[in-house]
């Protein structure tokens, strides 16, 4: 261990001081209200990230891989490889950058360098994917994109407890929750007008870069006024990805709940383009337009439940009931999706899933900020929780070929069985939320 002298540079007047890495607290009191314009700017940054990341996951990546492979089975397995490995990089980047941003002593703030840097690197990575002429180039670009955009997301969302008091986080979280369906819908809409593989990846990333820049400019970031006393050791590096559930059981149950529900929501969604082509006989263009309609229905459900869930959870001072009901609604939607006899029923299923997911996403972040183990490691701990968001996107594509094969072997149908597995996993998440005891 070595000791460095404190940073004696003055804090810029527009940036409040932050807690020091040595454990001392900042002199100012906790914020009484969110800064003006903060919530819309943060929502814009989140929208940009989800637009850039989820458009490939749900639409364009499947077709990009299909264009580079010769058979449907090869495309399915290569898609699982690309998304699975890329999601692993998201899993690592989110908590690691969260911890590094907690230690960042830049005069520009703790979070802003990571937000802007992630956006710029992400833009270049998506350009690489769009121009790729092999699956391996796509894989490299996707790993870089996941790393960069999750770095942006980790730093941006770590500003929530920095800037917003506890009693107002449900409302802000609800606003942020809306950005997921809007990002999905916007991406689906764009794909209907873009035929170039390059532009399918670059345009959403460019929008994300612009919105992240706007957030950086508006953010009155906290400044770490004292350099960390301890060096960033190997133990701290590996500690960025783990926690002790025995010491912090509520944090552990929150992590598990998020993982299970996100598996049901995001993990199983990747294969919708292939589901539409294989089980419903749709062409690529028709599948893209159908995904747009399905996502409009999903967003309509989310637009109703997301702000409502956040506001009501603040008013009643309760988070767990909203998470549980949200999970159960998603289970119903997944079951309907599994047995959908036609496109109209599939669209209805997406609307039901969206209604449940909206309530979950609106309350989930607010709940998470109330179970963080250490106020000096806010970004790191939120990053650990975000592993639960990213890990299903790694595990699901990896196990999808086996599950699809089992479904076909038992005569149920590969995709029917796939969505039923997602429903069972989401149901477990909905039930286990009541293991969290420190939050009502």
């Amino acid at each position: 261990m070595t000791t460095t002298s404190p940073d004696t540079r003055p804090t810029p007047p527009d940036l409040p001081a932050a807690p020091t890495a040595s454990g001392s607290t900042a002199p100012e009191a906790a914020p009484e209200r969110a800064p003006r314009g903060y919530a819309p700017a943060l929502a814009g940054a989140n929208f940009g990230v989800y637009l850039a990341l989820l458009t490939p996951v749900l639409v364009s990546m499947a077709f990009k891989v299909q264009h580079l492979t010769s058979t449907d089975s090869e495309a399915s397995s290569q898609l699982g490889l690309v998304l699975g490995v890329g999601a692993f990089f998201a899993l690592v980047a989110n908590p690691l950058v969260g911890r590094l941003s907690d230690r960042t002593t830049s005069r520009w703030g703790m979070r802003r360098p990571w937000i802007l840097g992630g956006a710029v690197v992400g833009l270049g990575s998506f350009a690489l994917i769009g121009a790729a002429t092999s699956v391996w180039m796509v894989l490299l670009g996707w790993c870089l994109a996941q790393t960069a955009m999750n770095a942006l997301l980790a730093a941006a969302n770590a500003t929530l407890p920095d800037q917003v008091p506890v009693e107002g986080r449900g409302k802000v979280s609800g606003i942020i929750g809306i950005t997921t369906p809007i990002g999905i819908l916007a991406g689906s809409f764009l794909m209907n007008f873009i035929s170039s593989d390059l532009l399918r990846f670059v345009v959403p990333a460019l929008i994300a870069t612009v919105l992240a820049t706007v957030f950086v400019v508006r953010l009155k970031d906290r400044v770490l006024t004292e350099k960390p006393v301890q060096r960033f050791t190997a133990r701290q590096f590996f500690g960025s990805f783990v926690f002790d559930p025995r010491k912090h059981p509520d944090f552990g149950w929150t992590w598990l709940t998020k993982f299970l529900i996100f598996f049901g929501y995001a993990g199983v969604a990747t294969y919708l383009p292939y589901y539409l082509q294989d089980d419903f006989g749709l062409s690529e263009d028709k599948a893209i337009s159908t995904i747009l309609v399905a996502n409009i229905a999903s967003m309509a459900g989310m637009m109703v439940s997301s702000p409502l869930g956040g506001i009501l959870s603040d008013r009643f001072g309760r988070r767990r009931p909203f998470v549980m009901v949200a999970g159960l609604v998603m289970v119903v939607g997944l079951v309907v999706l599994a047995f959908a006899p036609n496109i109209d029923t599939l669209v209805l299923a997406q609307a039901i899933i969206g209604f449940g997911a909206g309530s979950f996403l609106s309350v989930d972040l607010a709940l998470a900020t109330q179970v963080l183990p250490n106020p000096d490691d806010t970004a790191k701990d939120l990053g650990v929780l975000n592993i639960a968001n990213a890990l299903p996107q790694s595990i699901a594509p990896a196990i999808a070929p086996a599950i699809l094969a089992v479904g076909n072997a038992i005569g149920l149908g590969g995709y029917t069985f796939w969505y039923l597995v997602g429903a069972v996993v989401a149901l477990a998440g909905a039930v286990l939320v009541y293991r969290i005891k420190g939050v009502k």
Side-chain angles (χ1 to χ4, degrees), residues 323-335 349 351-357 430:
V323 173
M324 183 190 70
V325 171
L328 294 176
V329 171
M330 290 170 61
V331 168
V332 172
L334 286 165
V335 172
I352 297 171
I353 294 171
F355 188 85

Side-chain angles (χ1 to χ4, degrees), residues 58-134:
L58 299 178
V59 186
S60 55
M61 187 66 80
F63 297 121
K64 175 67 179 182
V65 172
Q66 192 174 60
H67 296 162
L68 297 174
T69 53
S70 55
T71 66
D72 290 344
S73 60
E74 183 186 3
S76 178
S77 62
Q78 293 298 315
L79 177 65
L81 172 67
V82 170
L83 295 181
V85 175
F88 173 78
F89 279 78
L91 181 154
V92 172
N94 212 299
L96 178 59
V97 171
R99 168 157 277 187
L100 291 174
S101 76
D102 284 334
R103 298 169 57 89
T104 297
T105 56
S106 167
R107 287 170 58 84
W108 206 37
M110 298 169 67
R111 321 296 184 190
R112 294 203 286 191
W114 297 99
I115 297 170
L116 187 58
V120 172
V121 174
L123 178 59
S125 303
F126 283 110
L128 174 62
I129 297 171
T133 56
S134 70

Side-chain angles (χ1 to χ4, degrees), residues 99-429:
R99 168 157 277 187
L100 291 174
S101 76
D102 284 334
R103 298 169 57 89
T104 297
T105 56
S106 167
R107 287 170 58 84
W108 206 37
M110 298 169 67
R111 321 296 184 190
R112 294 203 286 191
W114 297 99
I115 297 170
L116 187 58
V120 172
V121 174
L123 178 59
S125 303
F126 283 110
L128 174 62
I129 297 171
T133 56
S134 70
V135 173
W136 292 108
M137 287 179 64
V138 172
L139 176 61
L140 173 61
W142 186 239
C143 291
L144 291 172
Q146 282 278 28
T147 300
M149 300 308 285
N150 274 276
L152 189 168
L153 192 65
N157 285 342
T159 63
L160 179 62
D162 291 346
Q163 305 282 336
V164 183
V166 171
E167 61 273 13
R169 292 177 192 170
K171 180 180 179 181
V172 176
S173 182
I175 294 173
I176 295 172
I178 298 174
T179 64
T180 301
I182 295 178
I184 293 172
L185 177 61
S188 302
F189 180 78
L190 284 173
M191 293 307 101
N192 277 269
F193 301 97
I194 302 175
S195 58
S196 161
D197 275 344
L198 177 62
L199 293 181
R200 281 181 175 180
F201 290 91
V202 169
V203 171
L206 183 60
I207 295 172
T209 302
V210 171
L211 292 172
T213 302
V214 171
F215 179 57
V216 164
V217 170
R218 294 189 61 89
L219 177 65
K220 294 184 177 180
D221 199 4
R222 307 177 76 181
V223 173
L224 194 64
T225 56
E226 185 175 314
K227 290 182 179 179
V229 174
Q230 293 182 333
R231 287 183 176 179
F232 190 58
T233 64
R235 181 177 180 179
Q236 288 177 316
F237 171 82
F238 290 107
S240 299
F241 315 112
V242 298
F243 60 92
D244 189 345
R246 296 170 299 178
K247 292 182 179 179
H248 308 287
D250 281 351
F251 190 76
W253 287 115
T254 300
W255 191 98
L256 184 58
T257 297
K258 284 169 65 70
F259 170 82
L260 295 172
I261 292 182
F262 259 89
F263 185 97
Y265 173 60
V268 302
T270 302
Y271 284 82
L272 183 60
Y274 294 160
Y275 183 33
L276 291 170
Q277 288 184 312
D278 295 348
D279 283 27
F280 294 92
L282 302 187
S283 65
E284 179 177 323
D285 290 343
K286 185 62 176 177
I288 290 175
S289 62
T290 301
I291 290 171
L292 173 60
V293 174
N295 287 335
I296 290 174
S298 178
M299 192 196 74
M302 281 188 167
M303 291 291 287
V304 173
S305 65
S306 186
L308 187 63
I311 292 171
L312 291 178
S313 72
D314 278 345
R315 178 170 298 178
F316 292 105
R318 294 180 179 273
R319 312 294 189 195
R320 295 184 304 175
F322 294 94
V323 173
M324 183 190 70
V325 171
L328 294 176
V329 171
M330 290 170 61
V331 168
V332 172
L334 286 165
V335 172
V336 173
L337 181 62
F339 294 104
N342 51 52
I343 295 298
D344 290 341
T345 306
L346 183 145
V347 171
L348 173 62
Q350 289 293 95
I352 297 171
I353 294 171
F355 188 85
S359 180
F360 173 74
L361 293 170
S362 70
V363 181
D364 170 63
L365 184 56
L367 185 153
T369 62
Q370 294 179 239
V371 298
L372 300 180
N374 186 349
D376 288 339
D377 285 331
T378 295
K380 175 260 181 183
D381 292 332
L382 284 174
V384 170
L385 285 175
N386 282 330
I387 291 176
N389 301 355
L391 191 58
Q393 298 174 50
S394 180
I395 293 177
I399 66 175
I403 293 178
L404 292 172
V406 170
N408 287 323
I410 63 177
L412 190 59
Y415 293 105
T416 295
F417 190 59
W418 175 240
Y419 291 118
L420 288 177
V421 169
V424 171
V425 174
L427 176 62

